[in-house]
Amino acid sequence: MRENEMLEKEDIFSKVLRAGRRTYFFDVRATKADDYYITITESKKFTEEDGSFHFKKHKIYLYKEDFAAFREILDEMVDFVLDQKGEEVISERHQKDYKRESYTESTDEVKSTESFTNIDFDDI
């Protein structure tokens, strides 16, 4: 297969989300068997002291057999964040006068330790 044909085959459908210093690329690609999968790429711009810049990229490959579970968990996570914190963006970067509340652990709140392993560092 010629290089142009391969490039045409890979670029099935794309969307871009620009979000400050980050850009997200959502691309539908084709496998060798001509089935489709999605890549999600985060590209983040870093500026050096001399004014030059570079980008760091992170990519996720998402295949059809994982779409339903991925969507379910992503929807659950988005709903959780919005239910807990609302849509307002609160961060030091966005608000210069933002002050973090000091953390005080409630005695009523018991955290699960089922996923933790009790390790004595003297044993290591």
Side-chain angles (χ1 to χ4, degrees):
M1 188 178 288
R2 291 187 353 225
E3 189 173 329
N4 283 347
E5 290 177 87
M6 188 61 175
L7 287 175
E8 287 175 15
K9 200 168 186 172
E10 283 189 15
D11 294 331
I12 309 297
F13 181 69
S14 297
K15 291 279 190 169
V16 176
L17 171 62
R18 298 192 194 296
R21 291 183 358 184
R22 291 182 182 89
T23 302
Y24 299 96
F25 299 92
F26 299 85
D27 299 298
V28 174
R29 306 276 178 158
T31 65
K32 290 180 182 178
D34 203 32
D35 201 1
Y36 291 169
Y37 64 98
I38 297 171
T39 62
I40 303 170
T41 306
E42 176 201 39
S43 179
K44 190 172 181 183
K45 185 177 182 179
F46 290 90
T47 306
E48 305 295 337
E49 290 180 17
D50 65 359
S52 65
F53 57 89
H54 68 279
F55 295 92
K56 286 190 179 179
K57 295 182 180 183
H58 303 279
K59 187 172 282 199
I60 295 172
Y61 294 84
L62 187 59
Y63 296 94
K64 286 190 332 186
E65 61 266 23
D66 302 322
F67 284 1
F70 188 92
R71 178 186 285 168
E72 184 179 317
I73 291 172
L74 181 60
D75 287 344
E76 183 180 350
M77 292 299 181
V78 168
D79 290 344
F80 176 82
V81 169
L82 295 177
D83 288 346
Q84 295 293 312
K85 297 295 181 179
E87 292 187 25
E88 180 185 2
V89 176
I90 302 172
S91 75
E92 295 168 12
R93 184 174 294 251
H94 292 92
Q95 296 178 359
K96 291 182 181 179
D97 61 344
Y98 174 76
K99 292 184 181 173
R100 177 181 244 170
E101 294 180 28
S102 61
Y103 176 78
T104 56
E105 188 170 336
S106 170
T107 55
D108 296 337
E109 183 180 332
V110 177
K111 298 193 180 211
S112 171
T113 57
E114 290 176 7
S115 63
F116 296 102
T117 304
N118 196 3
I119 298 175
D120 186 353
F121 288 102
D122 292 334
D123 293 338
I124 297 177

